[in-house]
C-alpha cells in the first residue's frame, strides 16, 4: 500500500513539475523554449508507433492449454512478407496509440498557447499605454 501512495505522489509531483516548467518556458521572450516539452512528448508518440510497427506486425503469441491444465506459450514468428496482423487492425492500433500518446502534447500546447496569448495581450497593452502617453 505504501508503494502505491509513494508512486502516486511521485506521479503527481512529476506532472505538476512538468506543468510549472511548461508555463515558465512559455512565458519566455522567445517562442521556442515553450515548444520543447510538446516536441518531446510528440517524439515519444512516434517512438511508440515505430515500436508497434516493428514488433507487432510480425509476431504472434499463442497459448496452448493441455488436458492437465498446464499453460504453454508459443511464440510464432512470420516472415516479413506475410504479417500475422491484418492491415486494418494494425492501423487501428497505430491510430489509438498515436492519439493516447499525444494527449500530453495537446495539453502542453494548450498551456503554451494560453501563456503566449496572455503575453501578446500584455505587450499590446504596453504599446497602447506608451502610445497614449505620447
Amino acid at each position: 500500500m505504501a508503494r502505491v501512495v509513494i508512486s502516486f505522489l511521485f506521479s503527481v509531483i512529476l506532472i505538476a513539475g512538468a506543468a510549472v516548467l511548461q508555463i515558465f518556458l512559455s512565458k519566455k521572450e522567445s517562442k521556442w523554449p515553450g515548444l520543447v516539452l510538446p516536441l518531446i512528448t510528440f517524439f515519444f508518440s512516434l517512438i511508440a508507433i515505430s515500436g508497434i510497427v516493428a514488433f507487432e506486425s510480425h509476431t504472434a503469441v499463442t497459448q496452448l492449454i493441455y488436458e492437465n491444465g498446464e499453460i504453454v506459450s508459443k511464440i510464432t514468428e512470420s516472415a516479413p512478407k506475410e504479417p500475422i496482423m491484418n492491415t486494418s487492425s494494425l492501423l487501428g492500433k497505430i491510430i489509438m496509440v498515436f492519439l493516447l500518446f499525444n494527449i500530453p502534447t495537446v495539453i502542453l500546447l494548450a498551456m503554451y498557447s494560453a501563456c503566449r496569448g496572455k503575453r501578446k495581450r500584455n505587450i499590446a497593452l504596453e504599446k497602447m499605454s506608451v502610445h497614449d502617453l505620447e
Side-chain angles (χ1 to χ4, degrees), residues 22-35 108-124:
Q22 177 63 25
I23 291 170
F24 173 74
L25 292 175
S26 296
K27 289 183 177 181
K28 292 285 186 179
E29 198 169 319
S30 175
K31 67 179 180 178
W32 295 110
L35 294 174
L108 290 171
L109 285 175
M111 293 170 68
Y112 173 78
S113 68
C115 290
R116 294 303 288 187
K118 286 181 183 178
R119 188 175 191 295
K120 286 181 182 179
R121 191 172 350 144
N122 289 340
I123 290 172

Side-chain angles (χ1 to χ4, degrees), residues 97-118:
V97 167
F98 183 76
L99 291 175
L100 287 174
F101 269 72
N102 277 309
I103 290 172
T105 306
V106 170
I107 293 170
L108 290 171
L109 285 175
M111 293 170 68
Y112 173 78
S113 68
C115 290
R116 294 303 288 187
K118 286 181 183 178

